[in-house]
Structures are given as structure tokens and as C-alpha cells.
Amino acid sequence: MEQIITRFPPSPTGYLHVGGARTAVFNWLYARHTKGKFILRIEDTDKVRSTKESVDAIFEALEWLGIDWDEGPFFQSKRLEIYQEYIQKLLDSGDAYYCTCSPEKIKVMRDKARSTGGKPRYDGTCRHLDLKKTDTAVVRFKAPFTGTTIIKDVIKGNILFQNNELDDFIIARSDGTPTYNFVVVVDDITMGINTVIRGDDHVMNTPKQILLYNALNAPLPTFGHVPMVLGKDRSRLSKRHGAMSVTVYRDMGYLPDALINYLVRLGWSFGDQEFFTRAELIEKFSLKNIGKSAGIFDQDKLLSINADHIKAAKPQNLAKNLVPFLEKKGFSIKEGPYLESVIKTLNTRSKTLEDMARGALFYFQDELSYEEKAVKKFLKPVALEPVRLLVDKLEQLPNFTEKKLEEAFKSVMEATGLKFGKIAQPVRVALTGSSVSPGIFEIIEVLNKEKVLQRLNAAIKIILDRSQG
RNA sequence: GGUCCCAUCGUCUAGUGGUUUAGGACGUCGGCCUCUCACGCCGGUAACCCGGGUUCAAAUCCCGGUGGGAUCACCA
């Protein structure tokens, strides 16, 4: 069995969006699954729209996703001589010819055809003229008038095209630069790509490309066209559907493994399994179970998958991803046992790293910020006695263990006749500033004794001040 | 408009002629658990686009509608 060689060829005209990321993931996973090769190629032949910033943005996104490549990145802008050479081959073999018809003339031709219900195509005026190169001449490929071209698509099955649907398309512009369909084919041939997995917005290009492979005497790769990702309104995903760039998901606190899991599962299935680690994906992914219909990008499900990945992740791995989010909130916390113990109290209640960072703030604040509503509701005179008693009890404890803490609370309950909840809520507000937080015992264990007592005493002061004020 | 693709709960999907009162997940609704919020658990809601065939039998095969998407550049 021949080694699988796949590729991802983004054009650097913007950020890497989730649709592009998805086809990158499919190609990457398939290469990894088959122990093949994955090649990165930057399609920057459009000098006007391609930017260095976009190239960097794509690298950044790929790196965050953890998608690595075995060869490249190749830049098409640096391969112009190769394309020249192949254009000449086609010219020499008579499969291509110079055409001097002006764009205006062709536009008229097309408009007329369209208005009379005909096919808007080039009429082949220069086909047999055997024209020489001029500075306005383009090179056209001689497409067959008859016969059929068939795409053997591993995802969609066989797709048949009548060759008379095609016209003599341009493969080199008047400035000599090659056009997309030609460049792709030459690149894929010369890079040894034998498996082309791409969005199904490319199916209409494929017959042209197949004709080019044939004219160049090159073996056809395996084609697989994956259905598009649609927005909530069933139209092609675009800016108005909200977040598009994969790095935006990074900044919102999504885990790369979660995004990958979601993107792959959107359109691919493995029985009823929903959750996949990266390793599992590599092990289980195949082209066989990719669906044929387009899928709608569902933020809710992505969020849910992200929560699952946060729950499943090791605290130490989460820690390094969490640090930037804490920094963004003004806390420079280093990774380590303390951060990990903080994370353990938050991972089942955080859907994103942003959630988690927000929930973790009270652990790090020197000056606790209190929610006004929580203070009003729970730091009332009735809470004074239990909190004071608790301070007494905790002061006597040499160290905090769940068992010791339970005993301490129990004795406060007995002494005051209050139910646990009546004591826990004021304590929670005292310790976290909020009425919502991880479990009381967890918090007390993680915060050190000094901080707990300090915050409890601060709460007592607040209660006193409020009742006097 | 031409060409091409697609069609199972709101969404992602399982399903490849009988095992299906169509399964799972997200969402949603209700409940349990409970120191708050979550998590977890239990339960409910909800789909085979329509019409013809083929067959003893069709979500599954065929045809036709309808609907949605893609594409028709000296852009990629």
C-alpha cells in the first residue's frame, strides 16, 4: 500500500476560519491515522489579496490546534518557474494555446450566451489560430468538447460531468502567472499528493483538474469532497454568523482538542461516540464515515464538548492553558501544585477557561471583591455568631482536612442551632465575595489558614459596620 | 437560469431491506442529589421532506417532485 500523502493549502487572504480548520484537521488526521504525510502549502498566487499577516495568522492557528506538518510550508509565489515549465509542456503537446481575445470581448460573449439561455463560455476563437505569445495573450487549456469526466469521490461516490459543460479555461494570465486550477494540479503532482480532501465547494473545479492531470500524464489522486459547514441560517458560514477565526475560540477559552473534536464530529461519526481525545481521533478516524450532507455549526454543542474536555483534562495540563486567562485579569500566577488544586475545585463547573479564570479570581485576590447582592443577603447580623464561632474553631485547627472542617461546622451548628446551609452561605460570601462558588470545604482547604481567618474576620467587620450604619 | 451535490428529532448524528414502539449526543422541559452554582443521575419532548414504484417486507433500493447548498472570473 502506497503511503498516503495529504495536504492543506490555505490562501493567505485572512485568518484561518473554522471551515478551513476542519478540512485541515481531516487531512491531518487521515495522514496521521495512516502514518502518511501531511504537507502545508500556502496558495499565495493572488498578490493583491495575500498578506504576510494572514500567513502568520494561519501558522498561529495551526500551531494552537496542534496540527503539525511533515513538509513545507511551500509558497506558490516561490514556485513560478515550475509552473512556467508545465505551461510550456502543455503548449508543446498542443493541449494549450495562446489566446488574444480581450476580456471585454469575452464578457460580451458570456453575457450574450447567458441571456439567450446558452452556456457562458469561451467560444474557442483562438483555438486553431496557432497564435504566438504577446503581452496580452493568455494561455488556454484545450478542453474536450465531447465525452464525460468522472470524479471517483471517496465521500460522495461517482460524480459525472459532460465535457461540453467545460470551456477552454485560462491556465496562464496575460502577465504569465498561472491560475488556480492549473497551479493546484502542478503542485499536487510535483509534491506527490495522492489524497485530496477538500471542501465540496471544489467539486466544480475537479473535472478541469482531472483533465489537466490527464494532459500532463499524471496519475489521479484520490478525491474526497467534504460537505460544507453552514451557519445557523443554513447559509455558508461567514462573519455575520459570529466567531469564525479559530484563534477567537482560543481567546474565548476553548481547548484545541475540544475544537478539533467538535469539528471532526461535525460530519464524521464513529457510532454513537461523541467524545474523542486527540489520540483516539488519530486511531479511529477514516474517510469511510464522513457524511454527505452539510452541517450547521452549533455553538452550544461546541461549548458542551469543551466542558467535557475540561472535565477530562489533567489539572496540570489545564494549568498552562489557564495562566494566560488569569494574566488577562491582572494576576500573574505560575503553574504549580497550588494552581492545580484551584483547578480541581473548578473543572466540573467551567465550560471554558475563561469561566474557570473568572471563578478562580477569589483565590488570588488580596483585596476580595464582594458582590453587593450577596453581601446584603448573607452578611447580616444573624451570621455574626456562627462566623465568630467558626473562627474560634478554625484557629484551633493545626491543619485543614475535610474531616476536621466538617467537625468544626458541626459544632457551630450545634452551638447555634442553625442548619448547615444557614452557616455555609455567609461563610461562602466571606471567603469568595460571592454566593456562588465551589464547595465550602474545598475552598477552605485550598485557601490557606491565614487567608481563611483573615477573610472571615473581614466579614465580621462588614457585618458589624452594616448593622451600625 | 445552467451544472453539480445533499435530504433521519430545533442541531450533530446512528441506522446500509426485516433485530426499530427509529438509538445516542447537544438544546429544551421535569425530577433526584445538594452548603450555593455546577457536576452527576433519572425521566419527558422531538425526526425518517412529499409522491410514486420495486419487494412478502423500505428510513434503508429506483424514479419524479419539493426544499436546501455549491458553482458558473485573467479569485483561490
Side-chain angles (χ1 to χ4, degrees), chain A residues 20-169:
Chain A
R22 180 158 161 272
T23 79
V25 169
F26 280 143
N27 279 285
W28 177 78
L29 277 180
Y30 190 55
R32 292 290 168 265
H33 173 75
T34 59
K35 304 223 182 329
K37 270 199 245 174
F38 175 66
I39 297 176
L40 181 63
R41 177 170 81 220
I42 305 296
E43 309 218 323
D44 58 349
T45 54
D46 185 342
K47 291 196 195 78
V48 182
R49 295 197 301 150
S50 299
T51 64
K52 171 85 167 63
E53 289 70 45
S54 296
V55 173
D56 291 341
I58 289 165
F59 289 162
E60 186 188 346
L62 253 19
E63 189 190 352
W64 176 68
L65 284 169
I67 294 179
D68 54 346
W69 51 90
D70 305 300
E71 283 180 29
F74 295 107
F75 289 80
Q76 291 184 329
S77 56
K78 291 181 182 151
R79 293 166 55 82
L80 263 20
E81 327 76 61
I82 300 173
Y83 309 133
Q84 268 345 308
E85 180 192 323
Y86 276 80
I87 286 168
Q88 195 55 49
K89 269 190 194 175
L90 254 23
L91 247 16
D92 292 346
S93 66
D95 288 305
Y97 60 92
Y98 284 108
C99 166
T100 54
C101 299
S102 71
E104 296 74 32
K105 179 182 161 187
I106 304 230
K107 189 174 183 311
V108 171
M109 196 186 292
R110 279 193 226 277
D111 290 347
K112 190 177 165 192
R114 225 189 282 261
S115 64
T116 56
K119 300 186 195 319
R121 40 181 293 173
Y122 176 62
D123 66 1
T125 304
C126 303
R127 198 176 232 243
H128 304 291
L129 266 34
D130 195 26
L131 265 18
K132 296 281 171 256
K133 183 177 177 14
T134 72
D135 52 4
T136 58
V138 298
V139 178
R140 285 183 185 275
F141 176 70
K142 237 182 241 180
F145 291 128
T146 59
T148 57
T149 296
I150 181 165
I151 308 175
K152 291 183 179 173
D153 193 292
V154 284
I155 294 168
K156 298 196 178 263
N158 290 173
I159 305 172
L160 190 77
F161 289 87
Q162 296 300 324
N163 287 339
N164 63 18
E165 292 293 331
L166 271 25
D167 67 353
D168 289 353
F169 55 93

Side-chain angles (χ1 to χ4, degrees), chain A residues 270-293:
Chain A
F270 192 80
D272 283 335
Q273 187 173 347
E274 300 278 349
F275 180 93
F276 297 86
T277 62
R278 183 176 293 255
E280 253 177 320
L281 245 19
I282 291 172
E283 181 199 330
K284 293 174 174 169
F285 181 79
S286 80
L287 266 23
K288 285 192 184 66
N289 300 311
I290 295 179
K292 294 180 176 184
S293 52

Side-chain angles (χ1 to χ4, degrees), chain A residues 313-334:
Chain A
K314 290 195 177 78
Q316 62 200 75
N317 294 337
L318 246 24
K320 40 167 183 301
N321 291 311
L322 184 62
V323 166
F325 288 87
L326 292 168
E327 277 171 358
K328 215 157 52 184
K329 298 188 183 303
F331 295 89
S332 81
I333 310 297
K334 43 190 178 308

Side-chain angles (χ1 to χ4, degrees), chain A residues 300-321:
Chain A
D300 287 337
K301 188 137 187 177
L302 205 209
L303 190 61
S304 161
I305 286 280
N306 197 54
D308 289 343
H309 278 266
I310 285 178
K311 261 173 264 169
K314 290 195 177 78
Q316 62 200 75
N317 294 337
L318 246 24
K320 40 167 183 301
N321 291 311

Side-chain angles (χ1 to χ4, degrees), chain A residues 212-227:
Chain A
L212 254 14
Y213 274 98
N214 292 158
L216 258 13
N217 273 318
L220 253 27
T222 298
F223 289 106
H225 289 93
V226 309

Side-chain angles (χ1 to χ4, degrees), chain A residues 13 100 107 189 206 228 238 247 249 291 307 321 337 360 402:
Chain A
T13 55
T100 54
K107 189 174 183 311
I189 290 172
T206 309
M228 307 257 78
S238 68
T247 52
Y249 287 94
N321 291 311
E402 185 166 347

